[in-house]
Amino acid sequence: MEKYIKIPKLDSRYIPVHSNTYVISSKIHWWKNSSPFIYPNVLINLISLTKEQSEEIRKDMDGELFLLTDSGGFQAISGTCSLTWETSLLKQIELNASKIFAFDIPPVKIQNDSIAVHAKLMTENEIKKIIDINIDVAIKQSYYLKEKYPEQISKFCFVMQAPSKKFYDYNIEQLNNKIGIENYNKYFPGGIVVSCKSKDILQLTIISRLLYENFILKGIYVHFLGAGSLYKMIILIRNKITTFDSSSMLQGTRINDFINPLDLNKSIQLGTNDFLMTKQFCSCPVCQSINYNKLVKTEPSMVGRYFIAHNLWHFLKANIILDAIPLDKFTKTVNQLYKIPTNINICLEFCDYTDINGFSIAYHKYKNYLKKDVSKQTLLF
């Protein structure tokens, strides 16, 4: 009998963002035979990972690790790396990434202050200009892979910057003008990666629904960047988005954030200086093997790192049950399982209404719920 717990295969699944340093130095992982549970999926920053480390993190496991990286585009514009469209491809190939992302420039302006780096969305004309550049670069990369690395072209994905439906439509229009949308799979057979930097979850719902109808239903892989909260996960799974990522689990080590096993929307910060709990307080497979009261005295920095895996375990439990719900019973069942706020129910109702009446009619009915023009938003992060 196997000694470890395997997460079942999921149609829509969360890809946790992780640090290779924690995998190697602290042995915090979830895909190895020695892990507390087996979930062979992770996204690690392209710049931080070396070829040797990518080989190291794959040791002691059965099957393949589904490893994603970013393209390095954000780091390039923020001045933290010097990647080009070519070196981005070569780095992803070197790391044996499961998907190769086109080199994309996010449509944001970087603002630095004494505390952190912030990003503000560009104006409408600036966003369209960035979209044009990204499409041209992605096409160039596609030709390059076909010529130089034909065995890798099947992994290649276009990265779409779509903060609203307006810009999703513009991406599709320009792709159609440049390659013919019917030829999409010839240029980007790996699928499509989407970034929707909007604070309006209805915008995210509309984009994910368009992706469902235009890509998912055609069997094309879709990945959603930076969308890992419970409510976003509900919307993305409702629209069968293949994979989606978030760094939210890393809050475990950043601020010792410990997810409430009974309510994923609530957490508690368990500082190590005056540790709250006096004995075992969680029965998940991660925490079962940890004596936190001893750990806060011997290796306090490790407490938050174990919280990463704890948080992931409970997040995956939600992913598993949501992925199993039939679409025609999804809204009702989700409301039975969770306390769903009004704005999320509006998003779910939009999806249900679209199933019956088609996207155009549903969009015309629900677009009045949308917030102000996303190109006029303040800081995104």
Side-chain angles (χ1 to χ4, degrees):
M1 185 175 182
E2 294 177 335
K3 296 181 180 179
Y4 43 77
I5 304 168
K6 284 188 176 181
I7 304 299
K9 185 177 180 181
L10 303 167
D11 292 331
S12 298
R13 67 189 190 276
Y14 171 63
I15 309 295
V17 177
H18 198 30
S19 165
N20 55 299
T21 302
Y22 298 156
V23 179
I24 295 168
S25 65
S26 303
K27 296 180 172 56
I28 305 298
H29 43 70
W30 43 82
W31 57 87
K32 295 175 177 284
N33 292 333
S34 55
S35 301
F37 59 91
I38 307 298
Y39 185 64
N41 299 275
V42 69
L43 188 152
I44 297 178
N45 178 265
L46 179 67
I47 305 304
S48 69
L49 191 62
T50 66
K51 179 182 180 182
E52 292 72 25
Q53 288 172 333
S54 72
E55 294 171 351
E56 177 67 24
I57 66 174
R58 285 181 165 97
K59 291 180 179 178
D60 181 36
M61 66 173 295
D62 299 326
E64 292 292 322
L65 175 64
F66 188 81
L67 171 67
L68 296 181
T69 71
D70 53 275
S71 73
F74 179 81
Q75 290 86 346
I77 66 167
S78 61
T80 57
C81 79
S82 56
L83 284 176
T84 65
W85 66 261
E86 182 178 16
T87 54
S88 171
L89 288 178
L90 295 176
K91 179 75 171 178
Q92 292 178 74
I93 292 171
E94 179 184 61
L95 299 178
N96 192 23
S98 300
K99 295 287 183 178
I100 298 175
F101 291 1
F103 189 71
D104 65 303
I105 301 173
V108 298
K109 295 179 181 178
I110 304 301
Q111 299 179 355
N112 295 288
D113 59 31
S114 58
I115 299 175
V117 176
H118 302 284
K120 184 177 181 180
L121 203 60
M122 292 178 173
T123 65
E124 178 177 342
N125 288 336
E126 289 172 328
I127 293 173
K128 288 183 175 179
K129 183 177 180 180
I130 290 295
I131 290 171
D132 289 337
I133 293 171
N134 286 343
I135 292 174
D136 289 341
V137 168
I139 293 171
K140 184 187 298 184
Q141 288 181 300
S142 181
Y143 283 124
Y144 177 88
L145 286 173
K146 288 176 182 177
E147 180 182 354
K148 303 285 187 180
Y149 300 91
E151 74 283 0
Q152 298 289 337
I153 189 65
S154 63
K155 299 179 180 180
F156 189 50
C157 304
F158 173 63
V159 180
M160 175 188 286
Q161 297 290 339
S164 72
K165 179 182 179 297
K166 177 196 303 182
F167 298 112
Y168 172 93
D169 290 341
Y170 186 75
N171 271 279
I172 296 299
E173 177 187 343
Q174 293 303 92
L175 283 167
N176 190 49
N177 290 338
K178 294 174 185 290
I179 63 172
I181 200 64
E182 70 279 5
N183 297 315
Y184 183 89
N185 282 341
K186 295 179 181 179
Y187 287 82
F188 312 109
I192 187 167
V193 178
V194 180
S195 174
C196 178
K197 297 296 184 185
S198 173
K199 295 180 180 179
D200 186 349
I201 197 163
L202 183 55
Q203 286 283 10
L204 179 144
T205 305
I206 290 168
I207 298 299
S208 62
R209 184 66 195 200
L210 285 166
L211 292 166
Y212 170 74
E213 297 197 354
N214 297 318
F215 292 89
I216 294 292
L217 289 179
K218 297 177 182 177
I220 299 173
Y221 169 88
V222 175
H223 179 77
F224 223 97
L225 292 168
S229 70
L230 173 63
Y231 294 143
K232 289 181 179 178
M233 178 167 70
I234 287 171
I235 298 303
L236 295 174
I237 292 176
R238 172 60 179 85
N239 290 295
K240 293 295 183 182
I241 301 303
T242 321
T243 57
F244 47 95
D245 72 74
S246 169
S247 62
S248 58
M249 297 303 103
L250 288 180
Q251 293 296 88
T253 191
R254 288 171 181 161
I255 56 175
N256 277 27
D257 209 36
F258 183 89
I259 282 183
N260 179 355
L262 302 178
D263 188 344
L264 296 184
N265 284 316
K266 294 182 179 180
S267 61
I268 185 172
Q269 291 180 27
L270 296 176
T272 55
N273 291 333
D274 185 19
F275 198 64
L276 175 65
M277 306 301 185
T278 59
K279 57 185 178 180
Q280 188 74 21
F281 53 94
C282 179
S283 60
C284 83
V286 179
C287 296
Q288 278 183 346
S289 61
I290 306 299
N291 184 332
Y292 286 108
N293 294 101
K294 180 180 179 181
L295 199 62
V296 295
K297 298 176 182 178
T298 58
E299 293 183 273
S301 64
M302 286 296 297
V303 172
R305 296 184 183 183
Y306 282 113
F307 285 177
I308 294 173
H310 158 91
N311 292 346
L312 175 60
W313 168 260
H314 289 288
F315 209 70
L316 288 175
K317 287 198 301 181
N319 193 160
I320 292 167
I321 192 168
L322 290 168
D323 191 65
I325 303 171
L327 295 185
D328 61 344
K329 297 180 176 65
F330 195 87
T331 300
K332 179 181 178 180
T333 308
V334 165
N335 274 275
Q336 291 173 330
L337 289 169
Y338 305 102
K339 186 177 181 180
I340 303 298
T342 301
N343 67 321
I344 305 302
N345 266 319
I346 289 172
C347 294
L348 292 172
E349 289 167 7
F350 164 79
C351 295
D352 294 339
Y353 195 81
T354 303
D355 284 344
I356 298 169
N357 300 284
F359 179 85
S360 296
I361 294 173
Y363 178 72
H364 181 75
K365 178 178 179 179
Y366 283 85
K367 65 181 180 181
N368 292 330
Y369 289 103
L370 290 169
K371 296 178 182 178
K372 64 180 181 179
D373 189 342
V374 294
S375 62
K376 298 177 182 178
Q377 283 184 165
T378 53
L379 294 181
L380 295 172
F381 53 88

